[in-house]
Amino acid sequence: MTSNIVSCLCWVPRGASKEKPDKDPEDDDEIEDDTIQPSDNLFIVGRADEEFSSVEVHVYTSSEHHAYSHHEILLTAFPLCMEWMDYAPDKPAGTRASYLAIGMMSPGIEVWNLDITDAIDPVFTLGEPESTLMLASKKKKKSGVTGGHTDAILGLSWNKVVRTVLASASSDASVKIWDMTRQKCVTTIPHPDKV
């Protein structure tokens, strides 16, 4: 028997996703099914089973009272938290898009473009890769604000007013404030316990 665990849930504001399928124009029915309408409600489910972890983008059409899975993103680790944001750190200033930051059992924070349905890699990862962290932990731990977390990411919060800022909380007993334009940690706030 396979266990299937839903680990986190995230809503996307109505009309935020601008996904346009890249399909053959002759497949009109398929294009219509895959096109997210401004009136559609999107929610994202973080999920894990014995073989893999993923996030699934679901569409709920309130006019038809129907929900379906739009697309899935395979992950490298168990997802613990997610935060949707419309700030596009890899696009020109002022560009809005639909991005998802995912905190997992690994210390990096993956940032995915939800408008791309067949992405196999995140747009970028905040923090150092796990292999680099393992090497660094064998040496003396470095202090400073630019490094990533050293343990699982337990919480994420995007600042909707100062849209270039993301906060992360971790099992490493710290909160980090990230500048998304530079994809760097600008502040680390120590905490006496897991956050």
Side-chain angles (χ1 to χ4, degrees), residues 107 149-155 168-175 193-195:
H149 287 289
T150 58
D151 208 342
I153 309 299
L154 301 177
S168 60
S170 173
S171 289
D172 67 7
S174 72
V175 172
D193 201 356
K194 295 178 181 179
V195 184

Side-chain angles (χ1 to χ4, degrees), residues 70-86:
H70 187 268
H71 67 279
E72 179 178 45
I73 299 169
L74 296 178
L75 302 174
T76 57
F78 187 88
L80 296 173
C81 56
M82 299 181 287
E83 182 73 352
W84 176 87
M85 54 192 174
D86 74 352

Side-chain angles (χ1 to χ4, degrees), residues 2 25 37 72 117 132 147-148 166 171 188:
T2 328
Q37 304 299 324
E72 179 178 45
T117 57
T132 307
L166 179 76
S171 289
T188 300

Side-chain angles (χ1 to χ4, degrees), residues 44-142:
I44 304 164
V45 176
R47 187 173 84 73
D49 63 25
E50 293 173 1
E51 297 178 19
F52 68 94
S53 297
S54 66
V55 292
E56 298 172 345
V57 178
H58 292 269
V59 177
Y60 175 71
T61 56
S62 54
S63 61
E64 299 173 17
H65 303 290
H66 175 69
Y68 63 93
S69 178
H70 187 268
H71 67 279
E72 179 178 45
I73 299 169
L74 296 178
L75 302 174
T76 57
F78 187 88
L80 296 173
C81 56
M82 299 181 287
E83 182 73 352
W84 176 87
M85 54 192 174
D86 74 352
Y87 174 69
D90 61 335
K91 308 271 188 227
T95 303
R96 290 190 185 245
S98 189
Y99 282 71
L100 184 69
I102 304 171
M104 298 178 287
M105 289 295 287
S106 59
I109 301 165
E110 293 185 353
V111 178
W112 293 82
N113 184 340
L114 293 180
D115 293 335
I116 300 174
T117 57
D118 57 356
I120 55 173
D121 290 315
V123 176
F124 59 87
T125 302
L126 295 172
E128 299 174 21
E130 191 171 313
S131 58
T132 307
L133 288 172
M134 288 177 161
L135 291 172
S137 66
K138 290 181 181 176
K139 298 178 183 178
K140 186 179 175 184
K141 284 189 176 182
K142 295 187 272 180

